[in-house]
Amino acid sequence: MSNTIVLGMQWGDEGKGKIVDLLTSAFDVVVRFQGGNNAGHTVKFGDRHFALHLIPSGILRPETPCLLGNGMVIDPESLFEEMEGLAAMDIDVGERLRVSDRAHVLLPLHRAVDQAREEASGKAKIGTTSRGIGPCYESKAARFGVRMADLVSPRLEARLERLLQRYEPELRDLGWEEIPTLESLVTACRAWGERLQPHLADGVDQLHRWMEEGRDVLFEGAQGALLDLDHGTYPFVTSSSPTAGGACTGAGVAPRDIHGVLGVLKAYTSRVGMGPFVSELDNDTGEYLRARGNEFGTTTGRPRRCGWLDLVAARYARRLDGVDAIALTKLDVLDTLEEIPVCVAYRVDGRTLDTFPADIESLEDAEPVLETLPGWQADTVGTLTFDQLPKRAQEYVNYVEQRVGTPVGIVSTGPRREETIVRREVLRRGLHLENLGPILAGVAGG
Ligand code: GDP
Ligand code: IMO
Ligand code: MG
């Protein structure tokens, strides 16, 4: 048995969707455990293109059951929209999509609060995806949230009333005009409950029954380690735990039932929204990476800030997540560069730091210490094996392995499923993945 977590090692958008889609063929079940429709996971294969937000990328493999875990915040309207979008593309979601009855319901009220707060924050805004994620997790932590099970409970109205009482005064203060009424919330929630009923499940029981049947589970992370509420660049973070521990609490699984962690690391760095980013390139090279890497948000369409690979941050993520193997993505985006600088440490107040500081001021003031590697200036898109990569591209991958301290098991050289090098020995050893056949059938293999 091999249960694996796939996590982002940076600020999100590392290419988790592509990697999960690739790996799903070797697993029986895919589970999301945190976040909501702030996530945007792009999957491409053949001539098909999907953007997923709430539903795990595993849904694209026929018959793979998927679970939205208790740690998620779920906007039912967005979920229905996504289900309809998939149906229109001939992906049958049906009852193989299970939704934990312990997951929290993200209401229009949460979206309004998120947007009103951001608008009122001026320069201090976080640059959220304005999907209501922070307020929904806030309601959960403050213990007045509404859970999926409540949608079909006689206590629904009382719970919604309590929630509205908390947020109505704030929204009024912020001058928000369209405050939902209790009646409209109750009506919407009842309709959602009815529609979701066939999907609702005791997520913990469902997951453990799958595991007891010997099914292999892939846990699909959203966001990335540096957006983690505890470990990220607080307060410029999301409100959930996109690190390995989050999979345990967010799905209801014990650490001993996890057998491997695959960290997805982009060959450079991107970030959307506000907050410090030490290796950021606010210049033509940053613009070049954005254009060549098509770095525009899958969820909000916002241009992503771009910069060099940050090894201080990557080592931090490796520790937080216990990464067993890395999927290094978007190597092809660096193909044309003559030189490739990499951030190996931070200079702050005359000191050199090789660990990721907690305080935001240090991070804002930090200057990157760069080491420069030679570029390969050759096309890597769709390369079949690691050995066929240009020598200097191999050296870049080896350098990342050594400096992060974790082997690279997958090298991605294009957005499509087919454009991937799978190093089977690394995945076998690192993730205990024996059943690699189905993955290798879809890709090059090396
Ligand atoms: P996620 O949020 O981690 O799933 O990542 P996103 O899907 O938001 O962003 C990654 C983007 O890069 C998507 O547009 C992918 O199609 C694309 N992508 C993924 N891997 C590669 C790669 O190796 N090369 C290139 N050029 N694009 C990639
Ligand atoms: P995926 O899963 C990149 C960022 C937002 C903002 C901060 C807080 O596609 O990698 P939120 O709406 O969560 O309260 O916003 O987090 N953010 C992401 N950035 N990829 C994501 O998801 C993100 N989800 C949230 O831009 O800076
Ligand atoms: Mg994304």
Side-chain angles (χ1 to χ4, degrees), residues 12-17 38-42 52 223 272 297-299 304:
D13 302 327
E14 297 89 352
K16 298 174 292 294
N38 48 348
H41 299 170
T42 313
L52 294 150
Q223 290 83 48
V272 209
T298 309
T299 298
R304 297 173 181 156

Coordinates of all heavy atoms in Angstrom, one line a residue, residues 12-17 38-42 52 223 272 297-299 304, ligand 3:
G12 N 2.5 28.3 -4.4 CA 1.4 27.9 -5.2 C 1.7 27.9 -6.7 O 2.8 28.4 -7.1
D13 N 0.9 27.3 -7.5 CA 1.0 27.3 -9.0 C 2.3 26.7 -9.4 O 2.9 27.0 -10.5 CB 0.9 28.8 -9.5 CG -0.4 29.4 -9.2 OD1 -1.4 28.7 -9.1 OD2 -0.4 30.6 -9.0
E14 N 2.8 25.7 -8.7 CA 4.0 25.0 -9.1 C 3.8 24.0 -10.2 O 4.7 23.5 -10.8 CB 4.6 24.2 -7.9 CG 5.0 25.1 -6.7 CD 3.8 25.3 -5.7 OE1 2.7 25.0 -6.0 OE2 4.1 25.9 -4.7
G15 N 2.5 23.7 -10.5 CA 2.2 22.6 -11.5 C 1.6 21.4 -10.8 O 1.7 20.3 -11.4
K16 N 1.0 21.5 -9.6 CA 0.5 20.4 -8.9 C -0.6 19.6 -9.7 O -0.6 18.4 -9.7 CB -0.1 20.8 -7.5 CG 0.8 21.5 -6.6 CD 0.2 22.1 -5.4 CE -0.8 23.2 -5.6 NZ -0.1 24.5 -6.1
G17 N -1.4 20.4 -10.4 CA -2.5 19.8 -11.1 C -2.0 18.9 -12.2 O -2.4 17.7 -12.3
N38 N -10.0 28.9 -4.2 CA -8.8 29.8 -4.4 C -7.8 29.0 -5.3 O -7.0 29.6 -5.9 CB -8.2 30.2 -3.1 CG -8.0 29.1 -2.1 OD1 -8.4 28.0 -2.2 ND2 -7.2 29.4 -1.0
A39 N -7.9 27.7 -5.2 CA -6.9 26.9 -6.0 C -7.3 27.0 -7.5 O -8.5 27.1 -7.9 CB -7.0 25.4 -5.6
G40 N -6.3 26.9 -8.3 CA -6.5 26.8 -9.8 C -5.5 25.8 -10.3 O -4.3 26.1 -10.3
H41 N -5.9 24.6 -10.7 CA -5.0 23.5 -11.2 C -5.3 23.2 -12.6 O -6.4 22.8 -13.0 CB -5.2 22.3 -10.3 CG -4.9 22.5 -8.8 ND1 -5.2 21.6 -7.9 CD2 -4.4 23.6 -8.2 CE1 -4.8 22.1 -6.7 NE2 -4.3 23.3 -6.9
T42 N -4.3 23.5 -13.4 CA -4.5 23.3 -14.9 C -3.9 21.9 -15.3 O -2.8 21.5 -14.9 CB -3.6 24.3 -15.6 OG1 -3.9 25.6 -15.0 CG2 -4.0 24.4 -17.1
L52 N -9.2 23.2 -12.9 CA -10.0 22.7 -11.7 C -9.7 23.6 -10.5 O -8.6 24.1 -10.3 CB -9.6 21.3 -11.4 CG -10.0 20.3 -12.6 CD1 -9.0 19.2 -12.7 CD2 -11.4 19.8 -12.4
Q223 N -2.4 25.3 -3.1 CA -1.5 26.3 -2.6 C -0.1 25.8 -2.4 O 0.3 24.8 -3.1 CB -2.0 27.0 -1.3 CG -3.2 27.9 -1.6 CD -4.6 27.2 -1.6 OE1 -4.8 26.4 -0.7 NE2 -5.4 27.4 -2.6
V272 N 1.4 35.1 -6.5 CA 0.3 36.0 -6.8 C -0.1 36.7 -5.6 O -0.1 36.1 -4.5 CB -0.9 35.3 -7.4 CG1 -1.7 36.2 -8.3 CG2 -0.6 34.0 -8.0
G297 N -2.8 33.9 -13.4 CA -3.6 33.0 -12.5 C -4.6 32.2 -13.2 O -5.4 32.7 -14.0
T298 N -4.7 30.9 -12.8 CA -5.8 30.0 -13.3 C -7.1 30.4 -12.7 O -8.2 30.2 -13.3 CB -5.5 28.6 -12.9 OG1 -4.1 28.3 -13.3 CG2 -6.4 27.6 -13.6
T299 N -7.1 31.0 -11.5 CA -8.4 31.3 -10.9 C -8.8 32.8 -11.1 O -9.9 33.1 -11.4 CB -8.2 31.1 -9.3 OG1 -7.9 29.7 -9.1 CG2 -9.5 31.5 -8.6
R304 N 1.2 36.7 -12.5 CA 2.0 36.3 -11.4 C 3.3 37.0 -11.3 O 4.0 37.2 -12.4 CB 2.2 34.7 -11.5 CG 0.9 34.0 -11.4 CD 1.2 32.5 -11.7 NE -0.1 31.7 -11.7 CZ -0.2 30.5 -12.3 NH1 0.8 30.0 -13.0 NH2 -1.4 29.9 -12.3
Ligands
MG3 MG -2.7 27.2 -9.5

